[in-house]
């Protein structure tokens, strides 16, 4: 999603949350939970992967004009992981992470952009 050129940065951030409800729990989360040793190579790999995802989110947030792209990247990364875990624990079909992500993103972007986005999101 991060490399799609047909989407705006905001749309790319939202596309991260366009996940089918049947998607299994993130294998990196599952591995980190099962391995009780934070120094285990798999735990370290999972940690680096999660940091890289948050970094890509922050880079895209920066591109979108977020006032604090690192904070938004971390918030969205936490939302992704939390939604994945919560959906699994509750055995739910879906968690409304996309709606929450839209609020976080729109609150982090300049107000003038937010007004334009809200008009785009309203069906004609």
């Amino acid at each position: 999603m991060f490399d799609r050129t047909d989407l705006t940065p905001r749309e790319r951030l939202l596309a991260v949350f366009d996940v089918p409800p049947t998607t299994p729990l993130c294998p990196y989360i599952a591995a980190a939970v099962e391995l009780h040793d934070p120094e285990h190579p798999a735990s370290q790999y999972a940690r680096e992967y999660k940091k890289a995802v948050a970094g890509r989110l922050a880079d895209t947030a920066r591109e979108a004009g977020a006032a604090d792209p690192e904070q938004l990247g971390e918030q969205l990364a936490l939302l992704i992981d939390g939604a994945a875990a919560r959906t699994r624990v509750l055995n739910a079909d879906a968690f409304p992470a996309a709606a929450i992500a839209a609020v976080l993103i729109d609150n982090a972007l300049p107000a003038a952009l937010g007004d334009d986005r809200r008009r785009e999101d309203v069906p004609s």
Side-chain angles (χ1 to χ4, degrees):
M1 282 144 282
F2 294 115
D3 297 326
R4 289 186 57 182
T5 57
D6 61 320
L7 300 176
T8 66
R10 178 183 178 273
E11 290 169 334
R12 288 195 311 266
L13 289 170
L14 287 171
V16 171
F17 294 90
D18 188 20
V19 178
T22 55
T23 301
L25 179 67
C26 172
Y28 299 99
I29 293 174
V33 168
E34 291 297 323
L35 296 169
H36 300 285
D37 178 7
E39 299 308 314
H40 187 283
S43 294
Q44 292 175 353
Y45 187 82
R47 186 169 40 254
E48 292 308 312
Y49 174 80
K50 289 299 182 178
K51 287 180 182 178
V53 169
R56 293 293 303 266
L57 288 164
D59 290 344
T60 306
R62 187 175 295 102
E63 221 182 309
D68 189 343
E70 284 74 23
Q71 179 181 11
L72 181 58
E74 285 296 324
Q75 289 172 335
L76 295 176
L78 179 61
L79 180 58
I80 292 166
D81 292 342
R86 184 171 173 82
T87 300
R88 179 67 168 265
V89 169
L90 296 178
N91 195 27
D93 288 337
F95 183 76
I100 296 168
V103 170
L104 288 171
I105 293 164
D106 289 345
N107 286 338
L109 300 182
L113 292 175
D115 293 341
D116 292 342
R117 282 189 305 277
R118 287 182 190 90
R119 279 195 293 274
E120 290 172 8
D121 291 341
V122 176
S124 327

